[in-house]
Amino acid sequence: MGPITLLGAVDPVWVAFLSPELASRMQFGWTISVHIIFASLSIGLAPFIIYFTWKDVRTNEQRYARLRSFWVKVFGVGFVMGTVTGIPMSFQFGTNFPQFAEVAGELIGGPLAFEAKMAFFLEAVFLGVLLYGRDRVKDRTYVISSVLVGFGAWLSGFWILIVNAWMQTPRGYEMVTRNGMEVAKLTDPFAAFLTPRMPWMYVHMMNASVIAVALLVAGVSAYIVWKKPDTEAWNTALKLAVVLLIISAPFQAVHGDAYGRHVEDTQPQKFAAMEAHYETGQADLHLLAFPKSPDALTDPRAENLVTVSLPAVGSFLASGGDFDAEVIGLNEYDENPPVALVFWSFRFMVGLGFLFIGLSLWGGYLTYRGRLSDSTRYLKAMIAASPLGYAALLTGWYVTEIGRQPWVIQDELRTSEAVSSTLTGAEATLTLVGFVVVYVGLVLTALYVLKWLVREELQALGVREPNEGRWHGPIPGVSDDD
Amino acid sequence: MTDPLLPVDAYLVESLPEIWFGVVLFALGMYVVLDGFDFGIGMLYATRTDEHERETFLSAFGPVWDANEVWVVAFGTMLLAAFPRVYSRLLADNYMLALGFVVALVFRGLGPELREQRDDERWKRYADYAFIGGSVFAPLLFGMLAGRWLFGGATLPVALTGVGLVAVSVVTGAAFLAAKTEPSLASELRTYGIGATLAYLGGVGVLLGTVVLTDAGGAADAVLSLPVAAVVALSIAVGLGGSVLARRGRYRAWLASALALPTLLTIFVATLLYPTIYPPTGLLVREAVVSPLALNLVTVLGFPVLLLVLWYFKFLYGVFSGPIEDEGYGG
């Protein structure tokens, strides 16, 4: 749905409001976008938290105690944000997409319940210990708590992605009639849980979270090192984040390339939207694309873009080696996803991915030369790049989710059929506005808290900041661990 | 497709759908009991003006609320896994209530977390508003959601269910805090606790009377049945007995009896529902349940984990047992 139809999609009765379908989709998209930032923060921070906690307990070195304390606080705030934004997610399948919940209940209910019981509880309980129990439990229990919290975050992703992967490549079910409705009946749990998409998605998402958080840790560390070059703790954190980035960023590109071929195999329509490929036949690869006119932003086609393209390489990549391979075009389908959003999101994500590889190689070179913390230019680049991992992660998910449209369950249930029939445009629009307001406040608050934590850390390191910013309140006290 | 590990066409045990009805209501009960006293702490927090006392309340709340809150997700997702139509209808038919509830939870959860980030009067005041407001509205709206589940569109019973959950949350919150604080504060708390107990019992009485007189949601017969009468009689006995214990300063015993109130409330909900599971459409447990393979799977994979979760909670409450230490929210 491009912007043109987007404007046309208002409810005829409630002219001033969005249609229930569009409002529901925007609401789900918006709330999950915010939630996933915090969910992936937990996933990506997990290795850092475990490492710092373990080193702290084992070596008793001040730098690790400092890093543990700082990042556990960030994890704690992120986890609370993740909890409060996650609960609406588990309700919105019912409030906004009840037909989807009912059709897919047998397939998605189990994994969602396992996520709550196996993962969410594990994280929530042992995070309580991690945040408040340092003096109440033994060292060993404390380290184990950090491992369990991290494990919980990764396990949580596992079950949630089983659900999402099933929506992309549904397997292991048959359609039956129950209570007068066509619903999916589970016939093969292994096929339903370990769908073709699942391993691809899990690896790509976990690694994307590691990249996003490595960039965040690197950015925060770079800022503190820039202000206070001789800090032992934050030089350690910076180096660790860069090392993690050197491993994860190139891996993501190699993995993503193969993932793309898998999407072409299993969801040709989405792949065609990613490449704005309309005519079935040989596909070119558009390495770079720029719009010639504003129209091309909303309707990208090869003829209205300035592209740097490799002829037939699209076919080669999609088929894994055949330049003449036929790639199915968008013209084959009755209804297509909003091509522009998918096409540009995909390019944005890939472009950022290559930027991260560049940053990681640059960092690797500087580390090799032993000048990582001396290069002000690199420190500034890393500060600037600190939110970009999240931008890549979100645009990647836009490709996945918007690219699946018009289906909510690929080739089985349309999104338009999944939306609540009792929901009015007024209600849906009202709650959408409510969620936008509340969550914007939430994200801003999270950013402020991070900023305050960094300032507090600088204070503890003895750095007096030249600009105190707009906040004129007293500086919060420094806790005992420092 | 034959699966050698699990029966495909028959439930592991014949009564598995009924067992799952019990399990889903058990999760609901855990939520109402555990997050209930969190809500109670949040509401009683409004009666404190002394910074030290507020910090004490937050110290009791801090380590456990998040884990307690997860029980609502366990409830919702297990309802979806076992009875997808009930999950869908309950939430879709009560759109504003359900989303209002989750937004109230957002404010409740964020308030204390943000409060400790800044040592500034105005900042703390706003964080407190979020905490208190969320703690009032979350049980109110959740109770109303339960009321809509039981009684459909009848306004007064639905409102009373909401108010009842608020009152019972104050009781458990007061008892929980009283058991963990010094005597002078505890004796103030018991005044609120006893008042809330009486309000709760009175509210239940009005609710039952209304349902019998108006036959709201067709529940009049169910309300007059023996099991419901037994649950109500027990609630009255436990409520009044608990109040006596509170008067005598036996706060741990009071806490035990106070926690029995929301437990009985959940049993009350279960007896009103069964054998239907969605009274507004008369849907029965057996009609709403998923196919044998799906239910067998969530049983085999889910039950052991549920036991493990109960052990986690034992561990968590063990670590943070005993009197509240004056360490503030952040430790």
Side-chain angles (χ1 to χ4, degrees), chain A residues 90 102 106 132 431 452 471, chain B residues 85 87 95 118 291 329:
Chain A
S90 72
E102 194 170 346
E106 275 195 23
Y132 306 103
T431 56
W452 295 335
W471 188 269
Chain B
R85 169 160 287 190
Y87 168 90
Y95 184 82
R118 273 279 142 190
S291 69
Y329 184 81

Side-chain angles (χ1 to χ4, degrees), chain A residues 252-292:
Chain A
Q252 193 76 339
V254 175
H255 181 263
D257 169 57
Y259 188 177
R261 274 196 290 284
H262 161 77
V263 171
E264 204 273 335
D265 272 348
T266 50
Q267 290 179 302
Q269 190 179 6
K270 181 190 286 180
F271 186 81
M274 283 155 63
E275 291 298 334
H277 178 65
Y278 282 83
E279 300 294 334
T280 299
Q282 196 185 53
D284 302 339
L285 180 75
H286 308 305
L287 285 178
L288 285 172
F290 302 96
K292 270 185 197 166

Side-chain angles (χ1 to χ4, degrees), chain B residues 4 20 49 73 88 90 108 127 137 150 178 192 203 212 219 242 277 282 286 308 313:
Chain B
W20 266 89
T49 46
V73 182
S88 298
L90 181 64
R108 191 282 299 257
F137 279 99
L150 294 171
Y192 291 106
V212 170
I277 188 167
R286 285 272 165 176
L308 192 62
F313 272 77

Side-chain angles (χ1 to χ4, degrees), chain A residues 46-350:
Chain A
F48 288 96
I49 297 284
I50 295 171
Y51 181 75
F52 293 146
T53 306
W54 177 67
K55 289 295 260 188
D56 172 24
V57 168
R58 215 181 139 87
T59 66
N60 244 333
E61 280 180 41
Q62 242 249 318
R63 57 175 164 163
Y64 292 114
R66 184 177 282 287
L67 291 171
R68 171 191 59 83
S69 164
F70 183 91
W71 289 108
V72 166
K73 274 184 221 158
V74 174
F75 193 99
V77 174
F79 187 76
V80 169
M81 300 268 177
T83 303
V84 299
T85 55
I87 289 173
M89 299 320 306
S90 72
F91 276 63
Q92 282 181 97
F93 293 121
T95 50
N96 294 71
F97 300 97
Q99 267 80 301
F100 166 67
E102 194 170 346
V103 169
E106 275 195 23
L107 279 295
I108 68 167
L112 288 172
F114 299 147
E115 192 270 340
K117 286 189 284 189
M118 295 183 193
F120 202 170
F121 273 127
L122 190 70
E123 272 186 281
V125 167
F126 289 96
L127 185 64
V129 177
L130 206 57
L131 282 173
Y132 306 103
R134 183 68 187 95
D135 306 322
R136 285 174 177 255
V137 297
K138 289 196 260 314
D139 280 357
R140 224 166 91 102
T141 314
Y142 195 72
V143 174
I144 291 172
S145 297
S146 77
V147 174
L148 290 175
V149 168
F151 176 73
W154 283 60
L155 187 62
S156 173
F158 176 79
W159 287 114
I160 296 299
L161 294 181
I162 280 182
V163 173
N164 191 277
W166 184 81
M167 293 159 67
Q168 314 287 341
T169 51
R171 299 285 189 279
Y173 69 101
E174 64 186 22
M175 297 306 283
V176 297
T177 305
R178 180 183 304 146
N179 299 321
M181 187 167 170
E182 281 274 293
V183 300
K185 177 175 178 252
L186 179 71
T187 55
D188 183 349
F190 286 105
F193 287 2
L194 302 174
T195 53
R197 178 60 48 82
M198 176 55 197
W200 291 107
M201 196 174 246
Y202 190 69
V203 172
H204 210 64
M205 173 59 182
M206 295 299 116
N207 199 47
S209 305
V210 169
I211 293 172
V213 173
L215 283 163
L216 179 73
V217 173
V220 169
S221 306
Y223 181 71
I224 296 175
V225 167
W226 183 39
K227 294 272 178 188
K228 173 90 178 164
D230 60 348
T231 156
E232 201 190 359
W234 291 95
N235 275 304
T236 306
L238 178 61
K239 195 182 271 183
L240 186 69
V242 168
V243 168
L244 219 58
L245 207 56
I246 292 170
I247 302 165
S248 55
F251 174 77
Q252 193 76 339
V254 175
H255 181 263
D257 169 57
Y259 188 177
R261 274 196 290 284
H262 161 77
V263 171
E264 204 273 335
D265 272 348
T266 50
Q267 290 179 302
Q269 190 179 6
K270 181 190 286 180
F271 186 81
M274 283 155 63
E275 291 298 334
H277 178 65
Y278 282 83
E279 300 294 334
T280 299
Q282 196 185 53
D284 302 339
L285 180 75
H286 308 305
L287 285 178
L288 285 172
F290 302 96
K292 270 185 197 166
S293 66
D295 293 351
L297 277 173
T298 57
D299 182 22
R301 286 165 186 264
E303 59 271 25
N304 64 7
L305 299 169
V306 181
T307 59
V308 178
S309 304
L310 299 175
V313 173
S315 290
F316 181 85
L317 286 179
S319 61
D322 179 3
F323 284 104
D324 296 320
E326 191 174 87
V327 174
I328 298 170
L330 290 167
N331 289 343
E332 306 288 325
Y333 301 94
D334 302 335
E335 196 184 344
N336 276 313
V339 177
L341 281 173
V342 180
F343 179 84
W344 294 114
S345 293
F346 181 60
R347 265 148 196 78
F348 199 77
M349 174 194 74
V350 172

Side-chain angles (χ1 to χ4, degrees), chain B residues 30-301:
Chain B
M30 288 297 281
Y31 180 67
V32 169
V33 171
L34 294 177
D35 218 12
F37 70 68
D38 294 334
F39 297 139
I41 294 172
M43 287 183 274
L44 290 163
Y45 183 85
T47 68
R48 301 295 102 189
T49 46
D50 177 60
E51 178 65 18
H52 176 72
E53 287 180 352
R54 291 199 153 186
E55 291 277 332
T56 305
F57 279 28
L58 292 177
S59 303
F61 171 84
V64 293
W65 74 272
D66 203 321
N68 293 344
E69 190 174 293
V70 179
W71 280 104
V72 79
V73 182
F75 164 67
T77 53
M78 285 199 289
L79 186 64
L80 172 61
F83 309 101
R85 169 160 287 190
V86 182
Y87 168 90
S88 298
R89 293 283 28 112
L90 181 64
L91 294 174
D93 293 346
N94 302 290
Y95 184 82
M96 296 305 280
L97 268 183
L99 291 183
F101 163 67
V102 296
V103 170
L105 283 185
V106 170
F107 284 104
R108 191 282 299 257
L110 282 182
E113 186 65 31
L114 296 181
R115 188 183 202 271
E116 56 148 348
Q117 304 294 341
R118 273 279 142 190
D119 201 8
D120 173 81
E121 278 309 311
R122 202 161 54 131
W123 174 263
K124 284 189 173 182
R125 200 163 63 240
Y126 287 131
D128 287 344
Y129 290 154
F131 181 45
I132 295 164
S135 298
V136 174
F137 279 99
L140 180 70
L141 297 177
F142 192 72
M144 288 172 70
L145 189 62
R148 293 269 301 182
W149 189 6
L150 294 171
F151 308 116
T155 312
L156 186 61
V158 169
L160 282 170
T161 316
V163 174
L165 192 59
V166 170
V168 82
S169 298
V170 173
V171 179
T172 51
F176 182 75
L177 287 168
K180 288 174 87 76
T181 48
E182 6 113 22
S184 66
L185 184 55
S187 72
E188 270 189 68
L189 287 164
R190 81 177 169 201
T191 313
Y192 291 106
I194 293 170
T197 305
L198 298 177
Y200 172 66
L201 294 176
V204 169
V206 177
L207 170 67
L208 295 176
T210 316
V211 172
V212 170
L213 290 176
T214 62
D215 194 19
D221 289 343
V223 163
L224 292 170
S225 69
L226 187 65
V228 172
V231 170
V232 172
L234 259 178
S235 295
I236 294 171
V238 165
L240 297 179
S243 300
V244 171
L245 290 169
R247 275 249 173 270
R248 294 189 184 158
R250 296 183 52 199
Y251 296 126
R252 291 190 73 89
W254 179 35
L255 174 60
S257 72
L259 294 177
L261 281 182
T263 312
L264 287 165
L265 179 64
T266 313
I267 296 172
F268 173 73
V269 170
T271 46
L272 274 191
L273 285 174
Y274 191 80
T276 53
I277 188 167
Y278 198 60
T281 59
L283 191 70
L284 299 172
V285 169
R286 285 272 165 176
E287 293 167 342
V289 75
V290 293
S291 69
L293 178 61
L295 200 65
N296 292 344
L297 182 73
V298 287
T299 306
V300 170
L301 280 179

